[in-house]
Amino acid sequence: YYQPVARTITGEICGMEALARWIDPMYGMFPPNDFIGVLEEARLIHKLDSCIIKKTCEDYARSMKEDDRTVTVSFNLSRLDFKLMDVHSVIEKEIRANKVPRDAFRVEITESMMDSDDERLHEVIDRFWERGFRVWMDDFGSGYSSLNVLKDYHFDTLKIDMVFLRNYDARSREIVKSVVDMSKRLGVHTLAEGVETKEQFEFLRSIGCEKAQGYYIGKPMPYDECRAYLKEKGFMMESPSKRQYYHDIGKVNVLSATPFRSVDNASSDSDESNSQIPIAFVEYAGEKLRYLFANKSYINTLQKLGVNSLEEVEQAFAESNSVLHTRFLAMIEQARETEEVVTTDFVRGSNYCYAQVRAIAGYPGGNAFLCILH
């Protein structure tokens, strides 16, 4: 079964997680909780995980033939896999047999795997990195040693267990917000799983959590059913050519008072977190400008200047003879060429303003810029 993952700033499907379901002809569907523990106890779990890896590679090869917009797929590994088989060889064998790209897959390692044989696990994770795989930490927040794990191991992405938001009150939101802020300070990307409502999705988007997974986007489904469901619901599939582009945008910590420093993964003082400075991501492509993201402070600042919406700014920029078009185009072109922060000031009504812009990501035909407006 596959469960879709959406990128929060676009709403596009950017990935899938491969999940095991056991369908018995007599007893029907068994959820993982009913058979994973049994297979681990019987030391047979590696057979299941080998099967999932094989099937995932086969399905990915099939999707490459059917659609040029293939998204990445993550799969889970058990700590016993590393004792019962050569995990790296199994994965490499299936990748070669199905002629699929290595960078299409993400390896998920649960926190429970970290409770023993630390030296062995370090070696395993390092080998994944050396072979070009991105390694994710699954189920963050569901155990007790998560902070130690973050200190001792290197992960590309943290999967946050949305059990934090089960009550969805101010206290739980503040915890998730702090986890995202901490992750970005460590240079770790973020994905929240268990997202069930639009309100939760929009909250995650507002704090810079890059990806969301859960029943709000879609439940786990067989391959064909999943593809049909996404098409029926009107979900767009993220273009592989923009995968790295959005990954680079995701490095920026929108909760930091020094977001330009977070572009370089530079640390900032801990008392500067959760700032409300006016931040936006702007994309310039094909002579068109569009907002990918803007926090409430940025929107409030625009409203103080008499601008009612982000769309109003986009429309004004589209008018090539407008002052906004001339001034902002000069700024972003300079920012793109120099890769430095470019600053300009202006007067609007009775307000003295200044704007700062820095290029943060690019793809053939377009660039994204981090903007701050005071």
Side-chain angles (χ1 to χ4, degrees):
Y1 275 43
Y2 294 91
Q3 186 170 28
V5 176
R7 195 174 297 277
T8 58
I9 65 169
T10 64
E12 295 180 346
I13 300 302
C14 62
M16 304 273 186
E17 180 179 6
L19 298 160
R21 295 293 184 269
W22 191 309
I23 304 173
D24 184 270
M26 181 178 298
Y27 298 104
M29 173 82 74
F30 285 107
N33 288 345
D34 286 354
F35 61 84
I36 295 294
V38 177
L39 290 175
E40 287 183 331
E41 187 176 346
R43 299 180 74 82
L44 294 171
I45 189 66
H46 63 296
K47 294 183 179 291
L48 170 65
D49 290 341
S50 295
C51 176
I52 294 296
I53 292 167
K54 177 181 175 63
K55 183 63 177 170
T56 298
C57 290
E58 290 172 351
D59 286 342
Y60 194 89
R62 178 180 163 195
S63 70
M64 289 174 63
K65 296 176 182 177
E66 296 175 350
D67 190 351
D68 61 349
R69 292 207 167 198
T70 52
V71 295
T72 60
V73 181
S74 65
F75 51 79
N76 300 273
L77 296 175
S78 165
R79 66 178 180 272
L80 285 175
D81 288 337
F82 303 105
K83 296 180 179 179
L84 300 174
M85 66 177 177
D86 184 343
V87 174
H88 300 92
S89 296
V90 170
I91 296 173
E92 290 290 344
K93 175 188 174 184
E94 296 303 333
I95 284 177
R96 287 195 300 270
N98 291 280
K99 299 180 181 178
V100 290
R102 185 181 286 102
D103 65 357
F105 302 99
R106 308 290 183 255
V107 179
E108 295 195 27
I109 296 179
T110 60
E111 181 190 339
S112 61
M113 288 179 62
M114 318 283 175
D115 60 5
S116 62
D117 203 3
D118 287 349
E119 197 62 39
R120 168 72 172 156
L121 191 56
H122 271 292
E123 179 187 337
V124 166
I125 293 176
D126 288 345
R127 284 184 67 188
F128 277 126
W129 281 104
E130 290 167 3
R131 293 173 182 230
F133 293 100
R134 289 177 178 168
V135 183
W136 294 1
M137 179 183 170
D138 194 15
D139 294 335
F140 181 83
S142 61
Y144 298 98
S145 60
S146 299
L147 294 178
N148 279 332
V149 168
L150 279 179
K151 175 176 66 70
D152 296 335
Y153 297 92
H154 176 43
F155 295 96
D156 173 79
T157 296
L158 198 66
K159 291 192 72 173
I160 304 166
D161 191 329
M162 288 295 279
V163 68
F164 284 132
L165 289 186
R166 189 156 292 163
N167 297 323
Y168 200 68
D169 55 16
R171 190 178 182 89
S172 60
R173 289 194 297 272
E174 194 61 35
I175 292 172
V176 174
K177 190 175 179 181
S178 298
V179 170
V180 171
D181 182 43
M182 174 187 66
S183 299
K184 293 298 180 77
R185 290 169 182 272
L186 295 173
V188 179
H189 295 265
T190 50
L191 184 160
E193 55 184 338
V195 180
E196 297 181 349
T197 66
K198 181 179 180 180
E199 186 180 12
Q200 290 177 349
F201 185 89
E202 291 299 329
F203 166 71
L204 292 167
R205 185 179 191 275
S206 74
I207 63 174
C209 183
E210 298 147 70
K211 300 177 183 179
Q213 177 183 353
Y215 275 48
Y216 174 68
I217 297 108
K219 65 181 181 180
M221 293 167 274
Y223 174 82
D224 290 328
E225 184 181 327
C226 187
R227 301 282 290 191
Y229 165 84
L230 294 174
K231 186 175 182 179
E232 178 190 343
K233 295 295 182 180
F235 280 105
M236 295 289 292
M237 306 296 282
E238 183 175 288
S239 169
S241 65
K242 286 191 174 184
R243 189 178 297 157
Q244 186 61 43
Y245 171 69
Y246 289 124
H247 188 77
D248 291 341
I249 293 173
K251 295 177 183 177
V252 181
N253 184 1
V254 302
L255 299 174
S256 172
T258 55
F260 288 121
R261 289 174 59 83
S262 68
V263 176
D264 303 314
N265 285 336
S267 61
S268 56
D269 294 338
S270 59
D271 60 355
E272 293 181 335
S273 65
N274 299 339
S275 84
Q276 294 299 311
I277 64 174
I279 297 173
F281 298 149
V282 175
E283 181 178 81
Y284 179 66
E287 300 185 353
K288 292 184 179 180
L289 178 144
R290 70 168 179 140
Y291 280 96
L292 297 174
F293 169 85
N295 66 4
K296 287 184 179 179
S297 183
Y298 188 94
I299 294 172
N300 290 341
T301 301
L302 287 180
Q303 290 174 345
K304 289 177 183 177
L305 297 176
V307 180
N308 296 317
S309 67
L310 300 175
E311 290 76 16
E312 188 175 324
V313 178
E314 294 172 350
Q315 183 59 40
F317 184 85
E319 300 170 5
S320 58
N321 60 345
S322 69
V323 174
L324 173 65
H325 183 99
T326 305
R327 292 286 297 273
F328 195 72
L329 182 58
M331 281 188 75
I332 61 178
E333 286 182 344
Q334 184 181 350
R336 182 169 51 190
E337 291 172 3
T338 64
E339 299 184 354
E340 300 291 340
V341 178
V342 176
T343 303
T344 190
D345 55 1
F346 59 95
V347 173
R348 184 179 174 93
S350 61
N351 296 287
Y352 169 75
C353 314
Y354 74 92
Q356 297 172 289
V357 174
R358 179 175 176 181
I360 55 174
Y363 68 97
N367 292 90
F369 301 86
L370 170 61
C371 302
I372 298 178
L373 178 65
H374 290 288

